[in-house]
Amino acid sequence: MRILLVTRGSQGDIYPYLSIAAELKKQGHEVMISLPRLFEELAKSFELNYLLQDDDINAMMDGAARTNNKTGHLLKWMRRVIDIQFELLTPIVEQYDLLIASNTEFAATSIAEYCGKPVIRTAFAPFIPGNKIPPPIMPFPKPHPVFKPAFLWKLLNKGTNFTVKKTINKNRLQRGMQPVKNFGLHAVQTSYNFLLFSRHLGSTDSDWNVKWDIGGYCFNDLLEYDKEDHKQILKFIRQDNRPTLFFTIGSCNDKRRNQFCEWLLHICKTKGYKLIVGSGWSKTGTHLQENDTLFLLTRPIPHSLIFPHCAAAIHHGGCGTTHSVARAGIPQFIVPLILDQHYWGYRTHQLGVGPESIKMTRINPSQLEKIVVDLMSNESYKTHAEELGKKIKSENGLHNFCRYIEKIESKEQEVKK
């Protein structure tokens, strides 16, 4: 089977797709992956056929940071990306049997429809309109007494239509296709929808009336890393009996990130903890001096080699980090910044594996101290985290997704007969 995978974003978006592509290749499929230029060396290390995307998400983020009209800058970038997708991907999709694309690839479903090819739309949160779960992209994922989930999905669809529908329909009309009336509904209704998160950590809606399934997060534990870095971080953790706290905001940026690190370091010194700061793309905490309480992780090491040795983690709430902490069976506290991070913050607290999530900008030093002490000492969090970790370890998201692809292949062959 010839399979094309398309995704973009940060490590949490790209790493699972690299893992999927490598496994499909191992199973004998002909695979190509389309990904941001930033990850070219990773694609090479997995010995994959790859297609680099012309748009640069880092440049987009930097450009948005420099302009006063951030929304306008983002809209222009997204609409330009859609045009590029249609031009670049259409002739390639025609050569493949199956398209697999993340839900942020807005042109993917229309391209697959034009080429007459099946498409699997993946998501790292429950991005399927329904009646029980609010849109995970919104900053209030809790049930609301007035604004019901169905209403919030309609509101989100209006926003999505404003953002991308005109550009999608322009390209559809150029190819002789009927315009879509509601992009959000069209995307889920014309796809096989597969949720790449754990059913034990995320939530699903029994009222969903589209083609969907769920299989678990596709962890990528095969990433190359510096062995000396790993040796040094284990040495730091094992230097004494003080419990270790891990902090990162991944690829995200926040103007208070360095101040937040300073507060954490002070708390750890005062309370007798050690602190590891995963600096990420925004170089969080690198202004601080390493010592016997602080370790700066400036180069990537797979989470699976670090988190099991930590007592707890504080992070931004990306799907990948949330699942990695959960799999390690340790408590976590989420300081959400954007998109579905609010949803994962809500879910971790709802499942009893950590305190209620709070935005970094709303926390003061005394509040943070109480949260950290609670996170590090609450036995209930530890018990629930260990139970959740066992469940997630029993899942094999990569195997489940590859099995799902086989099922789709069989269904499509039956249709053709």
Side-chain angles (χ1 to χ4, degrees):
M1 191 177 189
R2 307 188 74 201
I3 303 173
L4 175 65
L5 300 99
V6 186
T7 189
R8 74 188 64 234
S10 62
Q11 290 101 322
D13 304 287
I14 306 302
Y15 289 173
Y17 262 63
L18 286 169
S19 183
I20 292 165
E23 180 62 24
L24 290 172
K25 178 185 174 184
K26 182 180 176 182
Q27 293 182 8
H29 298 287
E30 183 178 338
V31 180
M32 177 179 282
I33 183 169
S34 170
L35 73 177
R37 190 172 300 277
L38 179 66
F39 297 96
E40 181 176 8
E41 292 305 314
L42 264 178
K44 287 181 179 178
S45 71
F46 278 79
E47 299 181 347
L48 295 169
N49 293 325
Y50 60 88
L51 174 68
L52 297 178
Q53 296 160 2
D54 290 338
D55 53 281
D56 183 350
I57 193 167
N58 280 341
M60 182 277 288
M61 297 296 286
D62 290 341
R66 290 193 297 268
T67 181
N68 291 326
N69 185 11
K70 292 180 174 58
T71 301
H73 183 88
L74 177 61
L75 286 175
K76 286 182 180 179
W77 180 84
M78 291 175 67
R79 291 164 180 170
R80 182 174 66 85
V81 165
I82 291 170
D83 287 335
I84 292 172
Q85 286 176 330
F86 272 99
E87 292 300 322
L88 181 67
L89 293 180
T90 300
I92 297 174
V93 172
E94 289 176 336
Q95 302 172 37
Y96 283 79
D97 303 310
L98 173 68
L99 173 62
I100 301 174
S102 59
N103 64 303
T104 53
E105 299 303 295
F106 298 122
T109 50
S110 289
I111 293 171
E113 182 183 345
Y114 175 75
C115 297
K117 302 298 172 70
V119 56
I120 298 177
R121 172 184 175 270
T122 68
F124 293 109
F127 283 103
I128 301 176
N131 298 315
K132 295 180 180 177
I133 304 171
I137 197 173
M138 291 188 171
F140 38 90
K142 299 178 183 179
H144 194 281
V146 177
F147 301 114
K148 303 298 182 183
F151 169 77
L152 293 175
W153 278 108
K154 288 181 181 178
L155 193 64
L156 177 62
N157 281 341
K158 283 183 179 291
T160 306
N161 284 334
F162 169 76
T163 304
V164 304
K165 189 174 79 169
K166 184 176 180 180
T167 310
I168 292 287
N169 282 339
K170 176 192 71 176
N171 282 277
R172 288 176 66 91
L173 289 171
Q174 288 173 354
R175 290 160 177 78
M177 303 170 70
Q178 290 293 318
V180 297
K181 294 181 179 179
N182 187 316
F183 170 77
L185 291 178
H186 178 267
V188 297
Q189 290 172 349
T190 58
S191 309
Y192 293 100
N193 298 276
F194 196 87
L195 305 176
L196 290 173
F197 59 82
S198 171
R199 65 176 68 249
H200 304 296
L201 183 52
S203 48
T204 60
D205 189 337
S206 58
D207 290 342
W208 285 338
N209 58 0
V210 297
K211 294 174 287 188
W212 71 276
D213 207 335
I214 183 171
Y217 190 77
C218 295
F219 295 99
N220 196 327
D221 298 324
L222 302 177
L223 296 169
E224 294 183 354
Y225 63 96
D226 189 288
K227 301 297 190 296
E228 183 59 29
D229 287 352
H230 183 226
K231 181 179 177 181
Q232 291 303 315
I233 199 169
L234 289 181
K235 180 180 178 181
F236 171 81
I237 293 170
R238 293 167 177 167
Q239 65 179 298
D240 53 43
N241 292 326
R242 289 177 296 164
T244 303
L245 174 65
F246 188 98
F247 169 66
T248 185
I249 56 170
S251 59
C252 298
N253 201 340
D254 188 277
K255 62 183 180 181
R256 292 184 64 178
R257 68 189 188 281
N258 288 325
Q259 183 184 55
F260 194 85
C261 280
E262 293 169 9
W263 294 349
L264 280 178
L265 180 57
H266 175 74
I267 293 167
C268 288
K269 285 181 177 178
T270 303
K271 299 298 179 180
Y273 310 137
K274 297 191 295 290
L275 175 65
I276 298 173
V277 174
S279 297
W281 289 358
S282 59
K283 302 186 184 303
T284 301
T286 52
H287 69 295
L288 297 171
Q289 185 69 41
E290 284 192 324
N291 51 57
D292 66 349
T293 300
L294 174 67
F295 186 97
L296 295 173
L297 180 61
T298 57
R299 292 189 290 188
I301 295 177
H303 287 157
S304 60
L305 299 179
I306 303 174
F307 290 165
H309 304 287
C310 297
I314 298 176
H315 61 96
H316 56 300
C319 180
T321 307
T322 304
H323 278 73
S324 293
V325 178
R327 181 175 62 160
I330 62 174
Q332 54 185 301
F333 169 59
I334 290 178
V335 285
L337 301 171
I338 56 173
L339 303 175
D340 60 334
Q341 295 168 8
H342 300 276
Y343 169 77
W344 292 115
Y346 169 65
R347 285 296 297 164
T348 53
H349 177 59
Q350 190 179 42
L351 292 170
V353 299
E356 185 174 5
S357 65
I358 307 174
K359 293 188 70 172
M360 196 180 294
T361 53
R362 295 181 180 175
I363 302 176
N364 61 45
S366 61
Q367 288 175 317
L368 182 59
E369 180 174 331
K370 292 178 182 177
I371 290 168
V372 170
V373 171
D374 181 36
L375 178 69
M376 300 290 279
S377 62
N378 192 312
E379 291 299 325
S380 177
Y381 297 156
K382 294 179 183 179
T383 300
H384 287 119
E386 288 172 0
E387 292 172 352
L388 179 60
K390 290 176 183 177
K391 292 176 181 178
I392 292 182
K393 286 175 184 175
S394 69
E395 282 181 323
N396 189 332
L398 184 58
H399 172 77
N400 293 338
F401 188 48
C402 290
R403 286 286 303 274
Y404 183 75
I405 292 169
E406 292 174 0
K407 286 168 56 179
I408 299 307
E409 180 183 17
S410 298
K411 285 182 180 180
E412 290 297 319
Q413 289 177 350
E414 285 296 322
V415 171
K416 289 177 181 179
K417 290 180 182 179

